[in-house]
Amino acid sequence: MKMQIVRAKDPEEAGRLAADVFAAVIQAKPACVLGLATGSTPLPLYRELIARNARGELDFSGVRTANLDEYVGLAPDHPQSYRRFMQENLFDHINIRPENTIVPDGLAADISAMCQAYEQKIAAWGGIDLQLLGIGHDGHIGFNEPGDAFLVPTHRTVLTEMTRTANARFFASENDVPTSAVTMGIGTIMAARKIVMIVTGRDKAEILRRAVCEPVRPRVQASILQLHPDVTLICDEAAAERLPQRNV
Ligand code: GLP
């Protein structure tokens, strides 16, 4: 197993360390393709990328980005859509070209055709150079929920009750949380040349231990990362509490 575990003191430091990985990839390849994630975990990273761009240290003019997932049924400008999240927390504050950012279309009339087109766009760009991931409390990556299999391509998925409850904090009530989403598949994620997963907070310590230390299985989708050749796991002290002291 080649997972590199980097321990940070707190979420802010985790964000800075992840920004260092992003900066190295962008500097080595100014037209790189970044796979991006939503949720609260990447926010310190996005703040750091915005600051480095403002200081002239990081140039996004050639960068292309593909997001992991989107809720089905939410318009791009809906306050809780992942497109809107990306605009507000990153894209509106850096020098990236709007046409160089893609997020699955949650309103597509034909979701499976949209999923195929999404895969084709990523392939036409030459594949993902660096994929950012968080982890759900049920072990999901993107919105690949626990199940009996690893689903390979971008697809529509039904959200688990655990995920809908966790994400209800962003909506007026749990009933307003969409019941399904479109997510990059496990194959799309695993095809990325490099992966950075950020995990922060004590509430993620147990699922992180299961993902990293227990056998690979679809009940814990993140466990598949054990099979990827270049994963950097950046976690804060609270999330790392149940991990072994040495790299696994
Ligand atoms: C969300 C997203 C995931 C994210 C996860 C954890 O539902 N689809 O991409 O990694 O849940 O979110 P958070 O970082 O807020 O804990």
Side-chain angles (χ1 to χ4, degrees), residues 26-234:
I26 295 168
Q27 273 146 16
K29 187 176 175 185
C32 63
V33 177
L34 304 176
L36 297 181
T38 54
S40 19
T41 308
L43 290 175
L45 162 66
Y46 292 159
R47 284 195 290 269
E48 183 66 20
L49 293 178
I50 291 166
R52 292 187 194 195
N53 184 240
R55 293 198 299 263
E57 296 166 14
L58 211 47
D59 177 18
F60 288 88
S61 61
V63 170
R64 278 91 44 98
T65 68
N67 260 76
L68 277 169
D69 46 16
E70 180 61 281
Y71 289 113
V72 168
L74 297 195
D77 62 349
H78 185 284
Q80 299 309 332
S81 83
Y82 285 169
R83 162 55 79 178
R84 172 103 173 243
F85 175 99
M86 291 310 300
Q87 292 303 135
E88 291 181 350
N89 291 295
L90 185 65
F91 300 151
D92 287 349
H93 312 287
I94 59 174
N95 68 329
I96 197 159
R97 291 166 198 260
E99 65 271 26
N100 281 353
T101 69
I102 57 171
V103 178
D105 178 3
L107 285 187
D110 184 342
I111 293 278
S112 51
M114 186 276 296
C115 290
Q116 264 187 319
Y118 202 71
E119 292 279 343
Q120 282 161 5
K121 181 76 176 176
I122 293 170
W125 277 352
I128 295 170
D129 293 295
L130 172 60
Q131 176 67 55
L132 173 66
L133 296 175
I135 188 171
H137 292 99
D138 61 5
H140 72 227
I141 48 179
F143 268 136
N144 291 279
E145 295 282 35
D148 298 327
F150 293 109
L151 295 182
V152 172
T154 297
H155 61 279
R156 182 178 183 151
T157 178
V158 175
L159 301 178
T160 62
E161 275 317 298
M162 194 187 263
T163 297
R164 293 188 67 234
T165 307
N167 291 359
R169 66 191 195 273
F170 301 113
F171 292 82
S173 79
E174 194 169 329
N175 284 339
D176 295 325
V177 184
T179 52
S180 69
V182 171
T183 181
M184 279 187 195
I186 291 298
T188 329
I189 293 168
M190 290 294 281
R193 288 182 266 277
K194 186 176 186 66
I195 294 177
V196 166
M197 180 154 83
I198 308 177
V199 186
T200 53
R202 185 157 293 117
D203 55 315
K204 299 280 179 68
E206 175 58 14
I207 192 64
L208 181 60
R209 184 195 65 75
R210 292 174 64 202
V212 170
C213 304
E214 290 189 347
V216 176
R217 62 198 190 287
R219 285 279 142 204
V220 181
Q221 294 271 316
S223 65
I224 194 81
L225 298 173
Q226 296 177 28
L227 305 180
H228 191 280
D230 187 354
V231 178
T232 302
L233 165 63
I234 302 177

